[in-house]
Amino acid sequence: MLRPDERRYTTLLMQPDGPIFASKERIGAFDQTKAKIKGKKFLETANERGATLAITPEYFLPWDTLSEGIAGGLVPSDNALWVLGTESITQEGLESFKQQVSDLCIIIHEPLEDLPRDRHLLGTVALLFQTTHIDGTKKLIILIQFKTYPSRDDLFFEESVLRRGSVVYQFKGINGPLTAAVIICADAFALAELDPQSLSDFSNQSTLIHIQLNPDPRNSAFRRYRTATFGTDPRVTNCHIVCLNWAQSIVQCDEQGNGIHDWQNIAGSTWYCPADSCSYKDEVILPNHKLGLYYAYMKERRHALLFHYDEAVFEILVPKILSFGNAVVANRNGPVAVSRYEWKEDINTWKNDVPPPETGFDNLIDKTPDTRLALTHVLSENNAMNIERVLALSAGAIPGVDDWYIAKNIDSCQIEKDEIINRVTVAQDNSEPATNFRDMRLKPVTHIHHELINYEKWPPQVSDIDKGSTINWSKRSPNFNVLTSDKKPTLIVYLGDSPSADELSKKGDMFYHLLRKEGGPHQNRFCLIYRKYGEIKFASIPTMTRIDNPIEDQTDITSVTPF
């Protein structure tokens, strides 16, 4: 991953579910036996798949699993880096681990005697890689990095037990400028305090891996380093940032297994990419979508690939940040999902022959059968992006540009600094803003379909709309959302209850000019509808009612009546 060539590298990321356990003695998975099995099978999968980069999140992997994996040869190959977030450990436990594996590897960490002595639990990530000894033999290295900053909770528990480290290690490629580094959860606080030049050392030509056990991964304090990075000149912040958390809905248990804290959290695992290094074409987005890797465009001019919130192992094929090879083979498509593995309890293994994960969209529209009916023809195409497009177009919520329908231009696919996910076809974010957005976005297309079935007095320019007309979207006619029974594309926009006169005017002008620019025989087939005092109304579109040249530029006042 640190060689700047055209070869993509395989990455395996494990997003485990809970419950978790946290006491003064240990922080990690509540069920250590199950965690050991899952962790071992993950290492086996990483070994079988030849993973260049394999990642588990903060506080997950049991140390027994790591020692047994090393003894069993479940270790990275040459030019690979495995980033294994491990359960907490004491100094005595770490010394015991080192004795167990001392004949099989070299272990490096900052001197423990230099760390504060008034706390006893170490938060750790084990960085595994192969190196060549001076005598030419291969040797496994385990570089153990300690967490430098405690996370916050209501009782400041972690602060009371965490023995803080002071070093974050950075890997640099031998040939070229590529680097990699790992931070553990609240290490992000310290990273955000760096001056711009120092932060750039971590974020330029770099893969920065952020492992977490975090109930609020998009909290502004945790993402402040990303805000600083994304707000800096992209020429000096050309990086991948990989955030890997535990799965959604984590429960923290006491020693008896009773749930004492229900986090009700999102997962928030995300792979962030530079503006010019991730495709927003359907040919890339849709296969990723089916494997639980969802596209979003950040208004900070980066791309975000969002992992499905449930427990899974994701296999991703990733292009290098930078390539010194021939420009024609430089891959700008970004990470591509290869497989998604689910845990099968009956056979105790990760299996990848599984159906696409449920995104929440089916459950969403099942609550409103009229919406499902309205989208019948669009749903039959099994194209999540076309659903986002027709919903945005029907609501009039598009920019007035020719390519409004590409993924990064669709408002539901865009995210602000708060990282609220408004994707309708990925309805996993249950925050109030996201829920409200999805509810509002579904209403216009539902109203339009209702009028297609029930309304009869359509304006002259679309007077042939009948009950056989359907909601559709096609790239061949991207500015239309309705197809009449005689196959004429038509645009109907629903603007809700009592929109302002200014909104009606601006939307009318925008769509008029968009359709006129596209041209063709159907450019006047559109109308804006809304409700006032419960009655359906049609917006007047002055640009369509000229009397000086009805043939060439606008529509004759005698053929299109203003409403």
Side-chain angles (χ1 to χ4, degrees), residues 14-38:
M14 181 182 180
Q15 182 176 268
D17 65 7
I20 62 166
F21 177 75
S23 74
K24 293 184 177 180
E25 287 71 42
R26 180 177 72 87
I27 303 174
F30 171 76
D31 190 334
Q32 287 182 291
T33 300
K34 183 179 291 186
K36 289 177 182 178
I37 298 171
K38 288 182 177 180

Side-chain angles (χ1 to χ4, degrees), residues 134-146:
I134 194 171
D135 62 7
T137 60
K138 298 290 184 181
K139 197 68 176 180
L140 175 67
I141 304 295
I142 302 180
L143 178 60
I144 298 176
Q145 180 175 309
F146 303 133

Side-chain angles (χ1 to χ4, degrees), residues 198-449:
S198 299
L199 181 59
S200 178
D201 291 341
F202 281 96
S203 59
N204 191 30
Q205 317 297 357
S206 172
T207 299
L208 179 59
I209 300 163
H210 186 187
I211 61 171
Q212 304 173 58
L213 171 58
N214 194 341
D216 190 10
R218 59 190 176 198
N219 181 282
S220 59
F222 281 98
R223 72 106 55 197
R224 193 164 35 146
Y225 76 96
R226 298 199 297 275
T227 302
T229 298
F230 300 155
T232 302
D233 188 336
R235 292 174 295 181
V236 294
T237 55
N238 183 42
C239 63
H240 283 167
I241 295 180
V242 185
C243 292
L244 180 65
N245 197 16
W246 289 52
Q248 67 178 340
S249 304
I250 293 296
V251 174
Q252 182 178 336
C253 291
D254 61 17
E255 293 181 352
Q256 288 73 43
N258 302 310
I260 55 175
H261 295 298
D262 183 355
W263 283 11
Q264 298 182 353
N265 63 293
I266 65 167
S269 299
T270 305
W271 196 301
Y272 301 91
C273 301
D276 64 349
S277 299
C278 186
S279 175
Y280 44 82
K281 295 180 179 179
D282 283 14
E283 293 83 358
V284 175
I285 290 176
L286 295 177
N288 278 351
H289 186 98
K290 291 178 181 179
L291 291 171
L293 189 62
Y294 308 120
Y295 177 82
Y297 182 71
M298 307 179 69
K299 290 191 175 181
E300 296 162 295
R301 294 182 175 83
R302 307 279 169 139
H303 304 274
L305 299 178
L306 317 163
F307 292 87
H308 191 278
Y309 286 178
D310 286 347
E311 179 183 66
V313 168
F314 299 89
E315 181 177 343
I316 313 292
L317 199 57
V318 186
K320 311 289 177 58
I321 279 287
L322 179 71
S323 170
F324 286 162
N326 196 313
V328 73
V329 294
N331 189 325
R332 299 297 183 188
N333 287 341
V336 173
V338 175
S339 290
R340 178 179 175 274
Y341 301 77
E342 293 182 1
W343 182 251
K344 298 300 180 183
E345 198 77 45
D346 54 337
I347 56 175
N348 278 337
T349 196
W350 296 102
K351 295 288 289 182
N352 66 348
D353 53 344
V354 295
E358 172 54 51
T359 65
F361 176 66
D362 280 337
N363 292 334
L364 180 65
I365 61 175
D366 280 344
K367 297 176 183 177
T368 54
D370 288 346
T371 301
R372 179 177 285 278
L373 184 62
L375 293 172
T376 297
H377 289 80
V378 184
L379 292 174
S380 68
E381 297 172 357
N382 196 28
N383 184 320
M385 293 311 303
N386 284 356
I387 296 170
E388 303 282 0
R389 290 171 178 127
V390 78
L391 294 176
L393 183 58
S394 299
I398 67 169
V401 294
D402 295 348
D403 60 352
W404 68 264
Y405 51 85
I406 63 174
K408 73 172 189 175
N409 286 342
I410 302 171
D411 64 341
S412 60
C413 297
Q414 298 174 345
I415 54 178
E416 305 275 0
K417 291 180 181 180
D418 58 14
E419 299 196 13
I420 299 296
I421 309 303
N422 290 327
R423 284 282 304 268
V424 181
T425 53
V426 185
Q428 293 192 285
D429 187 339
N430 290 323
S431 64
E432 185 175 350
T435 301
N436 290 342
F437 181 94
R438 293 193 297 264
D439 289 345
M440 293 300 295
R441 181 49 54 91
L442 290 173
K443 290 179 179 179
V445 77
T446 309
H447 280 287
I448 291 170
H449 183 257

